[in-house]
């Protein structure tokens, strides 16, 4: 089944508006003294400049570049088209066109050529590459890791290595009250036996571990 042809109202409106504007530009150019093919070339020139300015405007917006120049030439072309529509609406006697209007129409080709050239050959905007991030103070202050110390050469087997003495075990801390009680026990033992109390007897009398008894005896000596 063939598809039905759908008419786009916006497209139809654009075609009608373009045709009317084209005809108004032609009539104004012919009234200003441009006869023959020259009168038909004026509407083409105006519409081409309008399209070129609009296209350049979209490109600049996409690139994030300034659009002032594109807007300027778009306004110039739109003013020429809109001015022709207003001039041919009965406000201007096309049989007696003023001299200044003939000068504007005659100078339009040079103006349109200048605008089209600037729009087409303008360099594209290039986004500058981001600058490298500066090194932070922490990164800059990091020093190089020290090189490992040289490994000493192995000692020959013929030279005996002296054995280091084993560290003496640390004695536990003894409370002052316990030391005072142990001193009384030691004095009592000396009074009864006439000899100083030994570590084993002190450990049994106090009922403490051997290591704690050694620490108490060291403080009683």
């Amino acid at each position: 089944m063939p598809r039905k042809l759908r008419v786009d109202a916006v497209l139809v409106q654009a075609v009608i508006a373009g045709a009317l504007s084209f005809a108004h530009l032609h009539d104004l150019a012919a009234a200003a003294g441009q006869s023959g093919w020259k009168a038909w070339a004026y509407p083409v020139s105006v519409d081409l400049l309008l399209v070129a300015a609009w296209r350049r405007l979209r490109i600049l917006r996409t690139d994030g570049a300034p659009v002032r120049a594109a807007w300027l030439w778009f306004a110039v072309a739109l003013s020429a088209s809109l001015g022709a529509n207003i001039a041919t609406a009965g406000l201007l006697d096309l049989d007696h066109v003023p001299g200044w209007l003939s000068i504007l129409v005659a100078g339009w080709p040079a103006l349109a050529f200048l605008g089209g050239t600037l729009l087409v050959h303008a360099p594209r905007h290039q986004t500058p590459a981001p600058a490298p991030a500066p090194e932070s103070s922490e990164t800059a202050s990091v020093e190089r890791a020290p090189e490992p110390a040289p490994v000493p050469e192995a000692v020959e087997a013929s030279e005996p290595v002296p054995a280091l003495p084993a560290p003496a075990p640390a004695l536990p801390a003894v409370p002052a009250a316990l030391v005072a009680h142990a001193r009384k026990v030691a004095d009592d033992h000396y009074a009864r036996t006439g000899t100083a109390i030994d570590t084993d007897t002190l450990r049994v009398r106090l009922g403490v571990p051997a290591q704690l008894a050694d620490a108490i005896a060291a403080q009683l000596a």
Side-chain angles (χ1 to χ4, degrees), residues 5 9 19-20 23 35 69 75 78 99 103 108 112 115-116 118 127-128 140 142 151 173 175 191 202 204-205 210:
L5 181 62
L20 292 175
S35 59
L78 184 62
I103 295 175
W108 171 259
L118 294 178
T127 304
V142 174
V151 180
L202 182 63
V204 174
R205 293 285 303 273

Side-chain angles (χ1 to χ4, degrees), residues 178 181-182 185-186 189 197-218 220:
L178 183 57
H181 177 66
V185 172
H189 179 79
I197 191 170
D198 59 291
T199 305
D200 292 337
T201 304
L202 182 63
R203 178 179 60 81
V204 174
R205 293 285 303 273
L206 295 178
V208 296
Q211 189 176 7
L212 184 57
D214 294 338
I216 295 173
L220 294 180

